[in-house]
Amino acid sequence: MTNKAKKKIWNGNVRDAALSILMEINENQAYSNLLLNRTIKKYAIDPKDRGLLTELTYGTLQHRMTLDYYLEPFVKGKLDAWVRELLRLSIYQIVYLTKIPPHAVVHEAVEIAKRRGHKGISSTVNGILRSVLRKGVRSIEDIKDDIERISIETSHPEWLIKRWVEQFGKEEALAMAHENNHPARMTARVNLLKTTVEDALKELAKEGIEATRGEVVPESIQTAIGSLANTSAYANGLLTIQDESSMLPVLALDVKPEMKVLDMCAAPGGKTTFIAEKMNNKGEVYAHDLHEHKLSLIESNANRLGIESIRLSSGDSRQLGTIYEPASFDRILVDAPCSGLGVIRRKPEIKYNKTEQDLVNLTKIQEELLDTAYGLVKEDGIIVYSTCTVEYSENAGVVHKFLEKHPDIAMVTLDSYLTNESLAIKDNMLQVLPQHFGSDGFFVAAFRKK
């Protein structure tokens, strides 16, 4: 067998396009959400087929370990990476997508194998898939070990399941892992500088999009179908696409007009623009990010939303003590770089690419960012620390170390800012899990400098 698949683009073919995305994620650790949009253009995928492409890509990725478990008994000898990916994609359709006739799946896989490989490969693919149809897949219930069974059933590595069981208990860990395999809901934030939530919902209804109020944040809205980013309401700056969980840190900041606020890890700018909106576009929001190319994204969003109070700058935010005077800011947001284990739904590849060592390396950066914020916040000012992970060491662990290091820092009670009863606030720390209200996993803690 040749090790490389021939790279012929099969225009308009959804399954071949999905295979290309899956191979690129494996080879280059690329992000699924970015590749999807690029591939739709490159393959000239018909608008009516885009939903299927998304489902095939995410479904195969999300269930990768389960699919390998199903595939294993049927494979004799070594398979090339692209052939294995084609088989995963096919078994995903056979097991999970009831509307597609199994024989059509086999036929399509064989055609792709012919185009990308040679006759020998296509007959191997044909033989394996026909055996799967004939014999059916083996039961996951046969796995005796609890952690291993949950790992295969939900397609999350064992080390991750083990940690979650220790931190949240078996029931919550299982619920979270299953929730990660469901598509994320489309949520947005209404720009109150330009409109009200009621009026924004009416505007969207005129465009044929049925949206409703969000679960926990007063400014949020949600919709099950339709793309909010393709609406004129979005183009006219009435909305920002943002997960509801990621709006919560801004509520905890408790900003007021005319304040001077620092957002230390600002890109792509969802929280930055929300801060400016909460301040009624009055005052100054200093937004920093390590990656200069990401600042243009914040700028174009601010322009669309009609916001003029944001000042942008790139560089390592751990060095901001050399740029600003001590005690310069009323409020500081440290939305720290993290393992991203709360957003596995949006980027399923995270669960396969991360290691336990990554978590250790990240906590050092998180602690350094908080120490920098400590020097820059005014007395009686507030620092909010947030992450999009569910991992104790990056969340409560970092908070406890920060408090130990700085005796003049006290935790702020979150209940007055985050008033919704469905929010799990414990010891003044908020940990959102994906199953709580169908949102991303997120963590928020707030500190006041005494």
Side-chain angles (χ1 to χ4, degrees):
M1 281 192 197
T2 56
N3 198 33
K4 280 279 178 225
K6 294 172 195 159
K7 286 199 173 170
K8 283 182 193 166
I9 287 184
W10 190 348
N11 263 4
N13 188 298
V14 181
R15 287 164 184 82
D16 196 60
L19 180 58
S20 287
I21 295 173
L22 292 164
M23 282 158 59
E24 193 160 342
I25 289 166
N26 282 353
E27 286 167 20
N28 306 325
Q29 297 216 339
Y31 278 134
S32 49
N33 51 349
L34 304 177
L35 279 176
L36 203 58
N37 296 329
R38 219 181 307 157
T39 306
I40 284 169
K41 291 190 186 102
K42 192 165 135 188
Y43 269 77
I45 298 295
D46 196 299
K48 70 174 178 6
D49 290 332
R50 287 173 192 177
L52 179 60
L53 177 63
T54 306
E55 185 163 14
L56 292 178
T57 307
Y58 275 89
T60 307
L61 250 185
Q62 279 160 338
H63 299 284
R64 180 197 287 176
M65 291 169 66
T66 319
L67 297 169
D68 283 349
Y69 175 78
Y70 290 152
L71 185 59
E72 195 188 16
F74 299 99
V75 176
K76 311 278 178 280
K78 198 175 174 308
L79 290 174
D80 290 346
W82 73 271
V83 180
R84 178 174 291 280
E85 207 56 76
L86 176 59
L87 290 166
R88 283 173 181 156
L89 179 65
S90 305
I91 291 177
Y92 171 70
Q93 295 168 78
I94 291 166
V95 175
Y96 293 92
L97 300 187
T98 48
K99 285 180 187 163
I100 300 172
H103 291 286
V105 173
V106 176
H107 171 74
E108 189 85 19
V110 170
E111 289 305 307
I112 291 171
K114 274 183 200 161
R115 280 180 73 106
R116 285 185 179 253
H118 52 72
K119 203 159 181 270
I121 293 177
S122 65
S123 67
T124 302
V125 167
N126 187 37
I128 289 173
L129 291 177
R130 287 195 182 282
S131 297
V132 171
L133 291 188
R134 208 168 48 247
K135 296 177 184 166
V137 293
R138 59 183 172 168
S139 167
I140 291 171
E141 294 307 308
D142 297 344
I143 302 171
K144 297 283 179 280
D145 181 77
D146 269 2
I147 299 286
E148 190 190 343
R149 189 177 60 256
I150 295 173
S151 165
I152 296 295
E153 181 186 326
T154 64
S155 193
H156 284 65
E158 282 187 37
W159 70 267
L160 206 47
I161 295 295
K162 211 183 234 157
R163 284 180 85 103
W164 290 353
V165 168
E166 282 163 14
Q167 288 171 47
F168 306 107
K170 197 186 292 179
E171 217 171 293
E172 284 282 43
L174 184 61
M176 175 153 59
H178 273 300
E179 187 69 33
N180 284 341
N181 293 334
H182 294 304
R185 213 178 32 219
M186 173 71 85
T187 54
R189 187 186 81 234
V190 174
N191 178 7
L192 299 186
L193 297 174
K194 290 197 172 195
T195 186
T196 63
V197 174
E198 282 310 316
D199 287 347
L201 292 172
K202 282 177 196 158
E203 283 298 315
L204 289 168
K206 280 184 207 162
E207 299 187 56
I209 288 191
E210 214 173 294
T212 54
R213 283 180 171 274
E215 305 278 331
V216 295
V217 177
E219 292 90 338
S220 70
I221 59 169
Q222 59 186 29
T223 173
I225 44 171
S227 170
L228 294 172
N230 294 335
T231 60
S232 56
Y234 177 82
N236 296 332
L238 307 187
L239 305 174
T240 296
I241 308 294
Q242 187 180 19
D243 189 77
E244 214 173 335
S245 293
S246 96
M247 302 174 200
L248 295 168
V250 177
L251 299 188
L253 261 184
D254 186 35
V255 292
K256 305 276 189 292
E258 306 301 346
M259 276 185 171
K260 189 175 176 185
V261 180
L262 172 63
D263 184 352
M264 288 177 75
C265 312
K271 297 178 191 70
T272 320
T273 49
F274 193 16
I275 291 168
E277 286 166 24
K278 280 285 196 193
M279 289 162 64
N280 206 16
N281 204 16
K282 294 185 174 112
E284 295 169 313
V285 183
Y286 290 82
H288 286 260
D289 200 83
L290 187 57
H291 308 286
E292 189 164 357
H293 67 276
K294 289 184 179 175
L295 295 179
S296 57
L297 197 60
I298 305 177
E299 192 172 14
S300 65
N301 265 324
N303 292 339
R304 185 178 57 81
L305 297 163
I307 293 169
E308 288 138 17
S309 54
I310 296 171
R311 319 268 177 271
L312 296 166
S313 206
S314 68
D316 187 338
S317 286
R318 291 173 290 183
Q319 314 299 325
L320 288 180
T322 61
I323 296 173
Y324 299 112
E325 292 291 316
S328 292
F329 295 95
D330 300 291
R331 300 283 186 270
I332 298 179
L333 175 60
V334 182
D335 185 48
C338 70
S339 58
L341 296 175
V343 294
I344 288 175
R345 266 203 282 230
R346 297 173 194 280
K347 300 172 183 171
E349 57 283 356
I350 285 176
K351 58 186 175 176
Y352 312 120
N353 298 345
K354 293 286 176 208
T355 64
E356 288 197 83
Q357 188 53 45
D358 290 336
L359 308 186
V360 178
N361 301 344
L362 283 161
T363 52
K364 190 172 175 296
I365 297 168
Q366 291 154 352
E367 287 163 21
E368 287 169 358
L369 285 165
L370 269 176
D371 286 339
T372 304
Y374 169 81
L376 292 174
V377 76
K378 292 177 181 175
E379 276 184 25
D380 211 36
I382 290 176
I383 299 169
V384 166
Y385 175 68
S386 62
T387 70
C388 59
T389 189
V390 297
E391 185 52 49
Y392 179 89
S393 63
E394 296 177 78
N395 294 341
V398 168
V399 167
H400 292 317
K401 280 188 195 161
F402 184 57
L403 292 170
E404 274 167 32
K405 205 185 272 186
H406 304 288
D408 57 338
I409 286 281
M411 293 201 79
V412 174
T413 54
L414 293 175
D415 305 45
S416 46
Y417 310 123
L418 308 177
T419 50
N420 194 289
E421 273 140 39
S422 58
L423 294 173
I425 297 170
K426 192 179 163 213
D427 302 331
N428 284 324
M429 292 177 274
L430 168 70
Q431 178 67 73
V432 177
L433 301 181
Q435 66 269 33
H436 285 174
F437 51 93
S439 193
D440 289 342
F442 231 87
F443 176 83
V444 184
F447 311 96
R448 192 182 293 280
K449 196 176 193 179
K450 289 183 285 192

